[in-house]
Amino acid sequence: MRNFIKNVLANIVAILILLMVIFGFFILMIFASAINGEQKPSIKKNSVLVLNFKNPILDSYTEAESSIFDLGDTKNVLLTDVLNAIQKAKTDENIKGISIEVDELQAGTTQADNIRDAIEDFKKSGKFVYAYGNNMSQKSYYLATIADKVFLNPVGMIELKGMSTEVTFFKDFADKYGVGIDIIRHGKFKAAVEPFMRNEISPENKEQLSTLLNDIWGNISNKIKTARKLDENSFKTAVDSLYGYIPEQAIKSKLADQLVQKSEYYNFIKKNLKIDTDKDFNQISIGKYINTLDNKNNDNNEIAVLYASGEIFNGDEYSNIHSDKYVKYIKDLADDDNVKAVVLRVNSPGGSGNASDEILFELQQLKKKKPLIVSFGDYAASGGYYISMAADKIYSEPNTLTGSIGVFGMITNFKELANRNGIRSDIVSTNANSQFYSPISGAAPGTIPMLTKSVESTYKRFVYFVTQNRKKSFEQIDAIGGGRVWSGTRAKELGLVDELGSIQQAINFAASKAKLKDFNVQNYPAKMSKFEEFFKNTQEEEIAAKVISKKIGKENYTIFEKVTNPKFNNGVQMSLPYKITIK
C-alpha cells in the first residue's frame, strides 16, 4: 500500500512538473514576443541601409516555416515591408546610401524584380548604392547589378549561367515497382502529369518551356546588360563561357568593377561618407529598419491585401490556400465597412479544382460590394489563375508564370506491387461501381470514364469564367489555353492580364478605384500568434512532413506529395506542373 501511494504521488509530482515546464515555456514565449514587439531600433545619423537578406522573403506569413523553439518574432520578412523600407529610406535624412550584401537571395523572381525596381527608384534621391559579393548566386547578382558599383571578393565568383529547367520522370520507376497511375487531362500542354506517363519531355511541353525560359531570361538579361553597359555579344560570351566564376575574368568582362576584401569595401563606403578608415560607420540592417516603419494613415479607409500564396486545397489549415479559411477571409473583408477595396495577391501554382471554384465564387460576391484588383507574383497558374477571374483588373509581373488554363485528374494504385508481395483483395459490392477506387484493386470500370467527363466539364467551366473576365470567345481562350503556361509579358500580349506592374501599382489603382487619397494598407491573413504556431507545429502530420522533407529535400518532397498526399488525389486538379527557379 505504501509503495502504491508513493507511485501515485510520484506520478502526480511528475505531471505537475511537466505542466509547470509547459506553462513556463508559454510565459517565456510571451515575454520574448513582448520584448521584440517593444524594441524599436533608432536610426543614427549618417547611416547605411544594409540589404543582407539571410532569411526568405515572403509574400505572406502563410509561407513561413516556423519552429516550436522560435522565441519572439521570426526573421522572415514580407516583400511589402522591404519595399516600404526602401521607399522610406529614399527620403530619410539619416540614410545616406544602400549596401547590397547578399550572396544567396531567398526570393522569387518577381520579388527580386520588385526589390530591384525599388532600389532604382531610391537612386533618384542621389544617394549611393553599392553591392558586395563573395559567391553571388545568379539571382543575387541580378539584384546587385542595380548598384552604382559591384565589388567582388578576390577569390569570389558570380554564378551567371543563364536559365534551365529539369523535369524528372517516374514512369519506369512506377512500372518497375508495380505502381499503377490512371491519368486524365485536358490540354496537350497540361504537363503536370507527364512525369508519370512519359520518359521524356513532350514536344508541346518542350515548346512551352523554351518559350517561357527565353521570355524570363530575356527580361532579366536585358536589365543586367543595361545596368552593366554591355552589348549583346559581350554579355552572351560572358554567360556562355561562365566568366563570372573566375574573379579576374569577371572584372575583365565588366560583370563587376573591383576585386576587394570586405574591409576594403567598407573603406570605400567610409570614404563616400567622409569618415576616417580607422573609424566605424553606422549600419542598419533591412530587418531592423523595417521595425522603424509606421504604416498607419487612416484606419477608416483601408486597402486590404489578401495574399493567396501556395497550393490550393480543400480544408481549414493556415498554410497554403485552404478553401474554408479563404472563404471566411473573403466574407470578412466583404462585410468590413472600413475596407474600401481589396487587392488579391496571387502567388499560386493552383491545386484542387473544387477548392478553387469555392474561392472564386466568394471573390465574385465580394466584387459586388467593393473593388477587387488582382496582382500576380511568381505564379498565377491553373487554379491560381482561375481564382483571379473575379477581378476588376489584373496586374502581372513580366516574369510571372501565368495561365495554364487546363485541368487533370490522377489516381494512384499499388495493385501490382501488392500482388508481387503476396497481398490481394476481393470485393463485394451492391452496384457496378460501388468500389469507385481502391489503392489495392485500382479503379472500378466506370471510374475513369466518369473522371474524364468531370475533367472535360471542369475545363469548360474554367474557360467560361476566363471568357467572361477577359471578354473573349471560347475559341480564343481555348487556343491559348490547353494547359499552356505563359510569361507575364506574353500574357499581356495575349490579353490574359490587363497590365504589367507591381503589387504597389495594384494597390494604387485599387485606391483610385475606391476614390481614396488617404488610406491604410493592411495585410491578410494576419500573422499567427506564438500559441497558434506552437500547437500547429506539434501536430503529428506537421512533424512527419518536416522530417521527411528534411531527409529527402524540399523539391523531392513536393514530388513525393503528388503521389502520396490524398489532397492531390481528391477530385479534378487545376495545378501547374513545375516550379522554375533562377539558380
Side-chain angles (χ1 to χ4, degrees), residues 125-142:
S125 65
K127 301 176 181 181
F128 68 82
V129 177
Y130 299 137
Y132 182 85
N134 290 294
N135 297 295
M136 284 192 278
S137 67
Q138 185 160 266
K139 196 179 296 179
S140 294
Y141 178 68
Y142 173 54

Side-chain angles (χ1 to χ4, degrees), residues 11 39 110 161 179 186 250 258 263 279 293 313 373 384 391 460 462 467 473 513 533 540 580-581:
N11 286 328
Q39 289 178 338
T110 59
K161 54 185 174 50
V179 179
H186 184 108
Q258 285 182 240
S263 58
K279 294 182 179 179
L293 298 179
F313 301 110
I373 313 302
K460 289 177 182 177
F462 195 158
T467 61
S473 68
K513 185 88 173 169
E533 284 185 24
E540 184 179 345
I580 293 180
T581 56

Side-chain angles (χ1 to χ4, degrees), residues 20-41:
M20 289 174 65
V21 169
I22 294 173
F23 180 74
F25 183 72
F26 283 162
I27 294 297
L28 185 60
M29 285 198 299
I30 294 170
F31 181 70
S33 297
I35 289 178
N36 276 289
E38 289 173 2
Q39 289 178 338
K40 194 168 186 179

Side-chain angles (χ1 to χ4, degrees), residues 169-185:
F169 295 89
F170 301 93
K171 183 180 182 299
D172 286 349
F173 175 87
D175 291 344
K176 179 179 178 179
Y177 290 100
V179 179
I181 303 174
D182 294 306
I183 295 166
I184 312 99
R185 64 172 177 171

Side-chain angles (χ1 to χ4, degrees), residues 396-402 486-493 497 500:
S396 175
E397 305 280 357
N399 295 329
T400 300
L401 272 67
T402 311
W486 306 94
S487 68
T489 302
R490 198 79 58 150
K492 171 68 168 65
E493 295 172 2
V497 302
L500 293 180

Side-chain angles (χ1 to χ4, degrees), residues 508-528:
N508 292 342
F509 181 80
S512 65
K513 185 88 173 169
K515 299 179 181 178
L516 300 177
K517 291 184 179 179
D518 181 29
F519 58 91
N520 173 47
V521 177
Q522 190 66 39
N523 296 329
Y524 299 89
K527 186 179 180 180
M528 288 175 67

Side-chain angles (χ1 to χ4, degrees), residues 49 51 53 79-90 98 100 110-125 129 143 146 223 286 502 504:
L49 177 62
L51 305 188
F53 305 111
L79 175 64
T80 49
D81 288 340
V82 173
L83 302 181
N84 289 338
I86 295 172
Q87 183 181 39
K88 180 191 174 185
K90 179 183 177 182
I98 286 177
I100 303 171
T110 59
Q111 292 174 328
D113 271 327
N114 288 172
I115 296 170
R116 203 175 183 280
D117 290 344
I119 297 172
E120 188 171 27
D121 180 67
F122 171 88
K123 290 170 67 175
K124 294 176 183 177
S125 65
V129 177
L143 177 63
I146 197 61
K223 288 185 177 181
I286 185 69
S502 66
Q504 189 58 53

Side-chain angles (χ1 to χ4, degrees), residues 360-480:
L360 173 61
F361 176 78
E362 292 304 330
L363 289 169
Q364 289 170 332
Q365 306 316 300
L366 180 145
K367 181 185 173 183
K368 295 175 182 178
K369 295 184 176 182
K370 55 195 68 175
L372 174 64
I373 313 302
V374 169
S375 167
F376 288 167
D378 277 356
Y379 296 88
S382 211
Y385 186 75
Y386 185 82
I387 65 174
S388 306
M389 292 302 99
D392 291 304
K393 190 170 187 176
I394 299 174
Y395 285 82
S396 175
E397 305 280 357
N399 295 329
T400 300
L401 272 67
T402 311
S404 191
I405 302 168
V407 293
F408 71 89
M410 184 171 73
I411 298 178
T412 306
N413 73 75
F414 305 94
K415 181 178 181 178
E416 188 177 340
L417 175 63
N419 290 346
R420 287 179 190 175
N421 290 276
I423 301 172
R424 285 175 172 76
S425 67
D426 204 353
I427 300 168
V428 177
S429 57
T430 60
N431 293 81
N433 296 293
S434 297
Q435 184 78 354
F436 188 77
Y437 160 77
S438 164
I440 301 299
S441 58
T447 300
I448 302 304
M450 183 53 65
L451 276 178
T452 302
K453 291 179 181 178
S454 179
V455 165
E456 292 298 325
S457 174
T458 304
Y459 179 75
K460 289 177 182 177
R461 184 173 175 83
F462 195 158
V463 174
Y464 168 76
F465 284 122
V466 178
T467 61
Q468 296 300 298
N469 186 270
R470 306 318 304 159
K471 306 293 189 292
K472 292 181 180 293
S473 68
F474 184 96
E475 291 71 24
Q476 287 175 310
I477 297 302
D478 190 41
I480 57 178

